Amino acid sequence: VETALANAKTVIDEIKTDAELTAEETAQALATAKTNAKASLETYVNVEDYRQAQQEELATAIANGKTAIDNATDVAGVETALANAKTVIDNIETDAQITAKEPTITTTLSNGAVFTNTKATIDVWAKTATGIKLNKANVSVTVNDVEMSVNWDDSEKTSYNFVFVEGKNTVVITAVDGAYTKTVSYTVTCNLSAP
C-alpha cells in the first residue's frame, strides 16, 4: 500500500498545475513576442534608402530597440519597446528626404573642362531647397583646397575669381543651409600650352 501510494504521489507530482502551465505558456508567448519583434525591427526599413551616417544611426536605433525588447518582462512591454524603436527609426531621414531639403548648386563650370589660362571667373548659383539664393557666407569655393575670392555678388548669383595651377585642378563647392549641406566637386585641367 505504501509503495502504491508513493508511486501515485510521484505520478501526481509530475502533473503540472494550472499555475505552472500558465507560467510556461506566458514564458513561451513572451519569447515568441521578443523573437517576432526583433525580426520586425530588422525588416522595418530598407537600409539602402539611407546615407552612410543615417545607416549608422539606424544600426544604433535597431540595437537599442533589441536591447529594450530583450529587457521587457511581458508581451505588452515588448510591444511598447518595438513601437518606441520604430518611432526613433521614423525620425531618421532617408536619402530622398535629405536630398529634398539640401541646397542646390549650379555653376558655369563643367567637369573635365580645360582652361588655357590660370585665372577664370566662374558663376555659382547656390540656393536653398525652396529656391532662395544663399548668402555668400554660406558658400565655400575652393580650388586645390585654397579658398577662392568673390568677384561679384548679387541677388541671383555669386561670381568667384578662380586661380588654377598647370595640370589637374580639383574644385569643391559647398553650400550650407541650416542642418543641410550640399557639396559638388569638379576636376578641371589648366593647359597653358593649348592653342
Side-chain angles (χ1 to χ4, degrees):
V1 172
E2 289 174 1
T3 301
L5 179 60
N7 290 341
K9 284 183 174 179
T10 300
V11 171
I12 291 169
D13 287 343
E14 289 174 0
I15 299 172
K16 295 179 180 172
T17 65
D18 181 51
E20 288 171 330
L21 287 172
T22 300
E24 282 183 9
E25 289 167 359
T26 301
Q28 183 57 46
L30 179 59
T32 301
K34 287 182 178 185
T35 300
N36 293 342
K38 288 191 276 189
S40 172
L41 208 51
E42 287 174 357
T43 58
Y44 185 56
V45 294
N46 181 358
V47 176
E48 298 303 313
D49 292 340
Y50 296 81
R51 296 183 183 181
Q52 183 61 42
Q54 285 68 38
Q55 287 180 8
E56 291 168 12
E57 285 182 55
L58 276 176
T60 300
I62 291 169
N64 290 344
K66 286 180 177 181
T67 299
I69 289 166
D70 280 333
N71 291 338
T73 56
D74 56 31
V75 173
V78 170
E79 291 170 357
T80 299
L82 177 61
N84 290 343
K86 286 183 174 181
T87 298
V88 172
I89 291 170
D90 288 342
N91 288 325
I92 299 172
E93 291 182 312
T94 63
D95 180 42
Q97 289 171 318
I98 293 171
T99 299
K101 295 176 183 178
E102 281 180 335
T104 60
I105 298 172
T106 310
T107 176
T108 51
L109 192 63
S110 59
N111 206 36
V114 177
F115 292 86
T116 57
N117 196 319
T118 57
K119 295 183 180 178
T121 301
I122 306 294
D123 296 332
V124 176
W125 291 263
K127 298 179 180 180
T128 65
T130 56
I132 298 166
K133 181 186 179 286
L134 285 169
N135 186 303
K136 64 184 178 184
N138 293 67
V139 181
S140 164
V141 178
T142 64
V143 176
N144 305 319
D145 296 323
V146 177
E147 191 82 28
M148 296 295 104
S149 64
V150 172
N151 176 286
W152 176 262
D153 185 48
D154 60 30
S155 62
E156 290 294 316
K157 68 181 180 197
T158 306
S159 298
Y160 293 85
N161 296 315
F162 276 49
V163 180
F164 301 113
V165 296
E166 176 94 29
K168 296 280 184 198
N169 291 265
T170 301
V171 177
V172 178
I173 303 171
T174 301
V176 179
D177 180 26
Y180 298 92
T181 301
K182 176 76 172 184
T183 299
V184 294
S185 60
Y186 303 88
T187 300
V188 299
T189 303
C190 178
N191 186 353
L192 299 178
S193 59

